[in-house]
Amino acid sequence: MITLEEIKNFLKEYDGPDINIMEVCGSHTDAISKNGIPSMLSERIHLLSGPGCPVCVTPSSYIDRLIALSMEEGMVIATFGDLIRVPGSSMSLSDAKGQGAKVVMVYSPMDILDMAKKDPDKTYVFAAVGFETTTPVYACLMDEIIKQDIKNIRLLTALKTMPRVIDHLMEEGAPIDGFLAPGHVSVVTGYGVFEPIAEKYKIPFGVSGFSGQELLVALYGIVKNAGCGVVKNYYPSVVTKEGNTKAKSLTDTYFEVSDASWRGMGMVGGSGMELKEEYKKYDMGSKGLYEDHKKNKACRCDQVLMGKIKPNDCPLFGKTCMPENPQGACMVSTEGSCFSYFANGRTM
Ligand code: SF4
């Protein structure tokens, strides 16, 4: 059995063909930077950060809609903290709050239940963004709303699914030779969902955990399997081929596959989830929220998310765009590629 030292030596000394490996999980982006993984790799192994940070891929038109709702009489927007700073076309929810908009930050969607019950004259709108990992939580919220017969909660959804957007990246010719499959998403979906894509494009996927050692093992496996359409599970303690069937079943009770708009990438068919027709009365008008305009035309988040450039290739990186003054969504969250590069002084 190969040792960690041998894996490290292999990755550092690798002198085969250049290989581009994309991670599509914001937590991986963060962990790769914090563990100094890029400096442990040969110059021929290139890491790209893909569309794995939920707030980074949320279109500006969605933020605009939240802001418009937050300004309406009797409306309160509830959201996770990161989303509040994401730029819309002219301002963020945080800016709107400064102008009197009703916005509350929550740690869990469940927090909205008590708020809404205590304040029945207001309509509470939850900003439901995220991937396969978060959608089951919104399904639990729906369960409670219906069970408790709460009439003043709605969802504004911008939910995304990972396999379809990975397929889209490959269709669009993104220069990717292998994927570090998202660890958290894979816990729910199971790694089997990536097998058709691996086979279709003859590229390897490695499902990884989040420690430095786990990442190195997965990267080693991806490099070793370059050119092969295989999915290897290097995170077997929590990831199975089938995933969490209970969570998937709960999601399927309330949500169905839809097209979805990704910041900078536009509409990607079948890459989202929305409330089923029979639950549409709980929806706050999520359809028709398309990516259309960016706050700063010089922001190159779209190319960053597609793996076409690295964050530090953007002319605004570290100059006018920094975490305290983000010009694009990729600089907002700790899981955003630009934030991660900036905060960790990463250049590769
Ligand atoms: Fe956009 Fe800022 Fe990243 Fe440039 S550095 S791509 S402006 S978020």
Side-chain angles (χ1 to χ4, degrees):
M1 186 162 149
I2 191 162
T3 66
L4 183 60
E5 261 337 285
E6 288 168 326
I7 286 175
K8 282 183 180 173
N9 286 340
F10 172 85
L11 290 171
K12 193 65 189 171
E13 305 299 327
Y14 172 79
D15 63 354
D18 279 37
I19 177 165
N20 292 329
I21 301 173
M22 174 176 272
E23 86 270 1
V24 279
C25 168
S27 299
H28 275 157
T29 303
D30 193 35
I32 285 168
S33 297
K34 285 194 170 133
N35 284 285
I37 301 289
S39 65
M40 300 167 83
L41 305 178
S42 147
E43 286 180 355
R44 297 193 176 189
I45 302 173
H46 312 283
L47 297 182
L48 305 170
S49 296
C53 155
V55 306
C56 302
V57 299
T58 300
S60 56
S61 50
Y62 177 83
I63 303 294
D64 292 347
R65 174 90 174 120
L66 284 175
I67 290 170
L69 287 170
S70 71
M71 298 286 195
E72 280 183 26
E73 189 63 34
M75 291 280 179
V76 180
I77 301 297
T79 175
F80 295 126
D82 281 352
L83 199 67
I84 205 163
R85 297 176 57 236
V86 174
S89 60
S90 62
M91 67 171 98
S92 65
L93 271 172
S94 176
D95 298 331
K97 199 173 178 191
Q99 296 178 19
K102 283 97 42 207
V103 182
V104 291
M105 278 187 289
V106 296
Y107 292 104
S108 160
M110 296 302 175
D111 296 346
I112 199 177
L113 294 167
D114 278 347
M115 289 179 191
K117 281 191 282 187
K118 285 179 189 154
D119 200 6
D121 294 336
K122 299 250 173 36
T123 298
Y124 280 74
V125 180
F126 198 90
V129 304
F131 293 103
E132 289 96 328
T133 38
T134 324
T135 309
V137 183
Y138 300 129
C140 288
L141 176 64
M142 286 296 300
D143 248 2
E144 286 303 316
I145 292 170
I146 291 167
K147 195 157 58 178
Q148 298 183 37
D149 194 25
I150 302 173
K151 301 204 183 316
N152 58 330
I153 295 180
R154 301 285 181 276
L155 304 187
L156 190 71
T157 60
L159 298 167
K160 308 286 194 292
T161 55
M162 203 42 92
R164 180 62 195 110
V165 80
I166 290 176
D167 195 16
H168 173 77
L169 284 170
M170 296 306 295
E171 281 171 355
E172 292 293 305
I176 302 164
D177 305 300
F179 281 95
L180 204 51
H184 295 139
V185 164
S186 299
V187 171
V188 176
T189 62
Y191 67 81
V193 296
F194 300 112
E195 287 181 338
I197 311 170
E199 284 164 19
K200 182 174 172 186
Y201 298 103
K202 296 283 174 281
I203 48 169
F205 282 65
V207 184
S208 176
F210 298 89
S211 70
Q213 182 170 330
E214 287 169 322
L215 287 163
L216 288 171
V217 169
L219 289 170
Y220 170 80
I222 294 167
V223 175
K224 276 290 199 184
N225 285 296
C228 302
V230 294
V231 180
K232 299 281 184 185
N233 181 16
Y234 301 105
Y235 200 21
S237 56
V238 288
V239 174
T240 61
K241 183 165 181 169
E242 296 74 28
N244 185 332
T245 50
K246 202 170 162 195
K248 287 196 287 188
S249 159
L250 186 59
T251 293
D252 291 343
T253 303
Y254 295 105
F255 296 93
E256 63 188 3
V257 173
S258 67
D259 298 343
S261 175
W262 297 66
R263 185 175 281 244
M265 283 190 264
M267 290 300 283
V268 180
S271 68
M273 301 288 277
E274 65 182 21
L275 282 166
K276 286 180 168 176
E277 200 53 46
E278 57 264 46
Y279 300 110
K280 277 286 193 273
K281 66 177 181 180
Y282 298 100
D283 184 274
M284 202 64 218
S286 306
K287 260 209 186 308
L289 295 170
Y290 305 121
E291 172 65 354
D292 36 21
H293 32 241
K294 288 185 281 184
K295 179 187 177 190
N296 191 325
K297 298 282 182 209
C299 171
R300 297 175 72 186
C301 267
D302 50 343
Q303 288 163 288
V304 170
L305 292 169
M306 298 276 287
K308 292 184 175 169
I309 64 166
K310 301 227 173 188
N312 45 341
D313 294 327
C314 170
L316 307 188
F317 179 84
K319 297 185 178 84
T320 53
C321 185
M322 288 178 275
E324 57 272 27
N325 182 32
Q327 299 298 309
C330 300
M331 190 59 95
V332 172
S333 162
T334 53
E335 295 193 353
S337 306
C338 298
F339 184 107
S340 180
Y341 269 64
F342 183 84
N344 295 288
R346 185 171 159 190
T347 55
M348 317 188 270

